[in-house]
Amino acid sequence: MKQAITGYHRDEEDDWVAELQCGHFQHVRHRPPFINRPWVTTAAGRQAMLGHLLLCKKCDRGEPKDAPV
Ligand SMILES: [Zn+2]
């Protein structure tokens, strides 16, 4: 199921985590050359991706929410 990004925070390893509309969290790592998300490294880039739809596998699996919506 696709869900919009509503915000971000960093985890204990300093990786960026997107907060989705459905209440699930999803890592949005930038680890070139395997995972390329240069937008996540800048505040402007993250801002521009608010509302972008990400595929939420946790929704597909029916997992409980990571945070209250
Ligand atoms: Zn979800």
Side-chain angles (χ1 to χ4, degrees), residues 6-7 9 11 15 18 20-21 24-25 28-29 31 33 45 51 59-61 68:
T6 58
H9 64 267
D11 71 3
D15 283 321
L20 303 179
Q21 200 169 31
H24 288 130
F25 295 162
V28 281
R29 294 188 178 93
R31 294 268 173 80
C59 275
D60 292 341
R61 290 194 296 256

Side-chain angles (χ1 to χ4, degrees), residues 17-54:
V17 178
E19 300 166 2
L20 303 179
Q21 200 169 31
C22 55
H24 288 130
F25 295 162
Q26 186 171 135
H27 275 101
V28 281
R29 294 188 178 93
H30 180 51
R31 294 268 173 80
F34 305 109
I35 306 172
N36 282 293
R37 290 195 187 93
W39 59 267
V40 84
T41 61
T42 66
R46 290 189 300 277
Q47 182 73 27
M49 288 294 276
L50 285 175
H52 182 79
L53 298 179
L54 288 183

